[in-house]
Amino acid sequence: MAHRRQSRETLDLRGAWTFQVDPFNAGERAGYFAAEMDDSGWRRVTLPAGFDGCGPGLTTYQGYGWFRRAFTVPAAWRGRAVRVHCGAVNYRATVWLNGCCLGEHSDPFLPFAFAVEALLRYGEENVLTVRVDAAPRAGEVPGVEHGWRPIGGILREVTLRAMPPLRLENLRWTAGADGTYRLRVMIENDLDAAERTEARLTLYDANGIVHRQGETYQVPAGGDIGVGFDGTVAGARLWSPDDPALYTTRVELWADGELTDSLEARVGFRTVAVEDGRLLLNGRPIVLRGFNRHEDSPHTGMAMDLETARRDFLAMRETGANFVRLAHYPHHPGELDLCDELGLLAMCEIPVYWWTGLDEGEARYAGKLDAARRQLSALIARDGSHPSVIIWSVSNETREARPGVREGNDALIAHAKALDPSRLVVHIADESVWTTAPHFPLDDLLCVNGYPTWFKGMEAGNPDYDVAESTRFWRGQLATLHAAYPDKPIFITEFGYPCLEGFSDGPLGEATQAGALAAEFAGMAAPYVCGILIWCFADHPWPEINAIRNLTTSPFGVVTRDRQPKHAYDVARALFRQP
């Protein structure tokens, strides 16, 4: 049947759009969404872009903005399932097609899609309109608490995707070090009749086909079913930082001897676990060393820039790093493709940051926790097939003494564990919490941040501070924490010191930063420490807060924002390459 053989096609809507700033939210009343709206006086912009890339004076803009794009779809798309797909719109999006509202989305940094086949004008011009609202609001995630410069806009791809009416969706892969695997996928049927289908799995390595499996299913008319494959690949090559071995899995959908659809994903075989107080990768102890990284580019800001990400990850690997924390929100999934290729283990997290708890009010607290659960579910669904991802983080530096926050962190950890028992789940505590009232009952690792040289020395107005005190701080506090949780490894997820390029000494000098990193690293050598991450890989824009006398760029990077190495980059290489 011809309708079954329709292939997938994608229309890339990156590039030229029009933009109108709307600081008083009057655009909807003015009809900015209407297909016939005259936008000839709007500003021409190129997407993806944040507001800061859409015109002068918008660097810190946190209001409304409207984006419009005209496009034509082929007449041959009629009869297919068509979705408009957005990779990320920050922080809230409302979408119209040809003047009809498709819906809203309020989870930044995460993808969403709307069905549009009933509204498209096939073979004619269509108009897509997106209103972006970047105002911070209490009770949302991230809400009003954030440690990066919040940038609104359409930060990732916008595409129109045509799919066959009988199709595959939502492929998810997990695998073990013994060659076992589990693959789950949905079969969706938009046709008026039930369909008898066969789903076939084929697994490839660099030399060709290594494994095949097939199952037959009945899919109801206008319905969907979840199907799965479980099996074992004899002699599977394991994925690790030393050998990032990748396979390709291809799932095909057949009906009446015809191929109707297929999906592919790159996957790997590996396990991660904690046993007897040690972190194990593929059953062997591993020590994680690496960097935190913000999704920031000197060329595009927070908008996607996978070329800069690739160069950053290669530079990390050159230091001897085997791990990157993608802070503090879901990054572009293409970054995880790069981690899979290059052998960088990764932590992914949702933007629950500096959460203050019930002082926001009961309703806002409940709303924030619901949003966090929703975003955690979406993150795991999107990124759960990547072998590089070994840790989900549910929050960073929350105010755990406040009512409800500890319980909220525990609830999110339990939620992630239920969704994905194959990975580790953590929350990350700041120095004021883990050194006084540590609370890690459900965490797989004890993830802690600390900046003793900065907070006890320079920021405290103590230019004579002896960095040996920082060595003693880490050695003593880590021993105390280990005594409280002897069966859980400690992962130092942030430590660092700021400096400004070109100053060799002084409170913000490159030598001062390098010395602080070396002294603090020396205090972390203990068998119960399973990982150490420097904050941060690169300088990046700060929010407009009074941080280091209103510096607008966070200077904690071992490279500058334009990726010039500081002295600390060489120090990191020497530290990470120690036996």
Side-chain angles (χ1 to χ4, degrees), residues 190-212:
D190 289 347
L191 301 174
D192 295 332
E195 291 287 327
R196 183 174 177 82
T197 66
E198 183 185 5
R200 302 176 184 174
L201 176 148
T202 308
L203 196 66
Y204 304 83
D205 66 9
N207 298 314
I209 297 173
V210 299
H211 185 75
R212 283 176 170 167

Side-chain angles (χ1 to χ4, degrees), residues 127-420:
V127 178
L128 183 66
T129 305
V130 182
R131 181 182 65 185
V132 177
D133 174 11
R137 294 177 186 166
E140 296 187 353
V141 174
V144 297
E145 300 95 5
H146 46 75
W148 60 92
R149 183 177 297 169
I151 299 295
I154 299 178
L155 302 182
R156 297 177 191 158
E157 303 97 333
V158 180
T159 56
L160 207 67
R161 301 178 180 180
M163 300 170 290
L166 185 62
R167 62 188 177 276
L168 298 162
E169 292 280 22
N170 303 325
L171 186 152
R172 174 73 185 277
W173 167 279
T174 56
D178 57 356
T180 59
Y181 68 86
R182 168 170 288 190
L183 185 144
R184 296 294 180 263
V185 68
M186 297 293 296
I187 304 176
E188 298 184 355
N189 180 18
D190 289 347
L191 301 174
D192 295 332
E195 291 287 327
R196 183 174 177 82
T197 66
E198 183 185 5
R200 302 176 184 174
L201 176 148
T202 308
L203 196 66
Y204 304 83
D205 66 9
N207 298 314
I209 297 173
V210 299
H211 185 75
R212 283 176 170 167
Q213 187 178 354
E215 300 287 345
T216 300
Y217 305 93
Q218 187 80 5
V219 190
D224 58 64
I225 61 171
V227 304
F229 297 92
D230 296 275
T232 302
V233 176
R237 187 173 157 198
L238 303 186
W239 187 99
S240 71
D242 293 333
D243 182 17
L246 292 172
Y247 291 75
T248 297
T249 183
R250 177 180 172 87
V251 181
E252 296 177 343
L253 188 64
W254 291 75
D256 295 333
E258 297 179 340
L259 177 64
T260 70
D261 194 22
S262 64
L263 288 178
E264 286 190 355
R266 291 190 314 173
V267 297
F269 292 86
R270 66 108 189 89
T271 59
V272 61
V274 170
E275 295 180 9
D276 300 324
R278 297 183 303 170
L279 175 64
L280 305 179
L281 184 74
N282 298 330
R284 297 181 177 181
I286 187 171
V287 176
L288 308 175
R289 293 181 176 179
F291 301 89
N292 292 265
R293 182 185 187 271
H294 265 295
E295 192 169 26
D296 174 67
S297 161
H299 313 293
T300 63
M302 287 194 80
M304 59 179 289
D305 181 358
L306 294 179
E307 284 304 314
T308 292
R310 175 182 284 276
R311 289 192 291 270
D312 285 354
F313 293 154
L314 287 171
M316 292 180 195
R317 291 295 275 152
E318 195 276 333
T319 68
N322 61 9
F323 193 94
V324 61
R325 177 186 176 201
L326 302 179
H328 289 291
Y329 38 76
H331 287 217
H332 192 290
E335 294 188 20
L336 291 173
D337 290 331
L338 294 171
C339 290
D340 292 342
E341 293 174 13
L342 300 175
L344 268 178
L345 295 159
M347 173 192 289
C348 300
E349 62 189 34
I350 58 172
V352 177
Y353 188 100
W354 290 348
W355 185 19
T356 57
L358 290 184
D359 59 342
E360 298 172 297
E362 290 279 359
R364 288 176 174 171
Y365 169 84
K368 194 177 189 79
L369 193 56
D370 285 345
R373 286 194 187 96
R374 186 175 65 243
Q375 292 182 26
L376 192 56
S377 298
L379 174 66
I380 292 172
R382 190 195 72 172
D383 296 338
S385 294
H386 288 277
S388 57
V389 180
I390 62 168
I391 302 173
W392 305 117
S393 169
V394 306
S395 68
N396 179 73
E397 296 188 352
T398 56
R399 303 304 185 250
E400 296 181 41
R402 302 288 181 91
V405 173
R406 282 188 172 184
E407 294 80 0
N409 280 328
D410 290 346
L412 293 174
I413 292 172
H415 181 66
K417 285 176 176 285
L419 292 174
D420 184 6

Side-chain angles (χ1 to χ4, degrees), residues 402-488:
R402 302 288 181 91
V405 173
R406 282 188 172 184
E407 294 80 0
N409 280 328
D410 290 346
L412 293 174
I413 292 172
H415 181 66
K417 285 176 176 285
L419 292 174
D420 184 6
S422 71
R423 290 179 172 85
L424 308 180
V425 185
V426 303
H427 85 292
I428 296 171
D430 74 10
E431 181 180 330
S432 66
V433 172
W434 66 268
T435 60
T436 58
H439 179 80
F440 298 97
L442 300 181
D443 300 67
D444 292 307
L445 305 173
L446 311 180
C447 290
V448 299
N449 297 345
Y451 296 86
T453 306
W454 178 246
F455 287 127
K456 300 177 187 300
M458 296 306 172
E459 191 176 72
N462 182 10
D464 298 323
Y465 179 79
D466 184 355
V467 292
E469 288 295 322
S470 296
T471 306
R472 289 188 285 271
F473 164 87
W474 282 110
R475 187 172 293 138
Q477 293 294 344
L478 293 175
T480 300
L481 180 62
H482 172 64
Y485 290 92
D487 296 328
K488 296 188 177 186

